[in-house]
Amino acid sequence: MLLFINACVRADSRTKRLADCLLTALGEPVAELRLADVTLPPVDEAFLQKRDQLLAAQDYADPMFDLARQFAAADTIVLAAPFWDLSFPAALKAYLEQINVVGVTFRYTPEGVPEGLCRAKKLYYVTTVGGDDFPEAFGFGYVEALAKRFYGIPEVELIKATGLDIWGAPVEEILCACEEEIQTNHHKKEKRKWK
Ligand SMILES: Cc1cc2nc3c(=O)[nH]c(=O)nc-3n(C[C@H](O)[C@H](O)[C@H](O)COP(=O)(O)O)c2cc1C
């Protein structure tokens, strides 16, 4: 199962448009999690206490861990998030706090080193950016570090279109070029058909 984590907000989101292109090219059955439709519990002290108790009892079946179990079980992850304030929407950070669960998405070795427990071999990070200044470290780089260092997902690919809000930018041209690149690089079914 391919898990599509949709952190896009606007109805005519350009990020979602590129993600849809990628999902079509990958041609796998998709389970979509639209963060705008999900109400996540606040990570307050009561939440942390309950989580600690469940983890101490190794009770991973609790609904509190549904999102973490869904993430850990996915074969492929596609994460779509617009570039906001040098990073990504806060809803995505709130989601990541829910799925960072010791014993479900990662565990610690006796030496205290995180070791991934996720099935996915690849995570795609799709984003669009208003300007041309796209420092990767704060948004994409953070998710890449979590994927590789915590979840054990070895391959992380960034798909991006930048400069969309610059005055006079050829928005449609930029998006079409990115879509073409996605289709060329990721059309797995077609590639397999001719092998
Ligand atoms: C709340 C908010 C914060 C943004 N912050 C930045 C930013 O820091 N740098 C930038 O270049 N563009 C920024 N933008 C512009 C978006 O990156 C750009 O419009 C992007 O294409 C939006 O994606 P969407 O079409 O999927 O909604 C911001 C837009 C919003 C709404």
Side-chain angles (χ1 to χ4, degrees), residues 79 88 123 125 136-137 139-158:
L79 201 170
F88 46 62
L123 182 148
Y125 188 97
E136 290 182 8
F140 166 71
Y142 168 63
V143 171
E144 181 182 35
L146 279 177
K148 292 183 174 172
R149 296 161 74 152
F150 274 62
Y151 309 141
I153 302 174
E155 200 180 340
V156 179
E157 180 176 334
L158 172 65

Side-chain angles (χ1 to χ4, degrees), residues 22-100:
L22 175 64
L23 294 172
T24 304
L26 294 175
E28 292 167 36
V30 175
E32 178 176 356
L33 179 69
R34 189 169 178 268
L35 296 185
D37 295 337
V38 184
T39 307
L40 300 173
V43 181
D44 54 16
E45 189 167 11
F47 175 96
L48 292 176
Q49 276 173 358
K50 181 179 174 194
R51 186 165 76 173
D52 285 348
Q53 281 164 10
L54 291 167
L55 294 181
Q58 300 192 338
D59 183 359
Y60 304 119
D62 191 273
M64 183 182 243
F65 303 132
D66 282 355
L67 291 175
R69 280 190 275 104
Q70 178 192 44
F71 186 93
D75 298 305
T76 307
I77 314 263
V78 172
L79 201 170
F83 188 61
W84 277 15
D85 305 326
L86 295 180
S87 174
F88 46 62
L92 177 56
K93 179 70 169 83
Y95 169 76
L96 293 170
E97 285 181 357
Q98 298 292 324
I99 67 159
N100 267 20

Side-chain angles (χ1 to χ4, degrees), residues 10 12-16 82-86 128-131 133 164-165:
R10 299 183 320 111
D12 59 349
S13 161
R14 285 88 60 102
T15 314
K16 170 74 164 48
F83 188 61
W84 277 15
D85 305 326
L86 295 180
T128 64
V129 185
D133 179 25
L164 296 180
D165 295 337

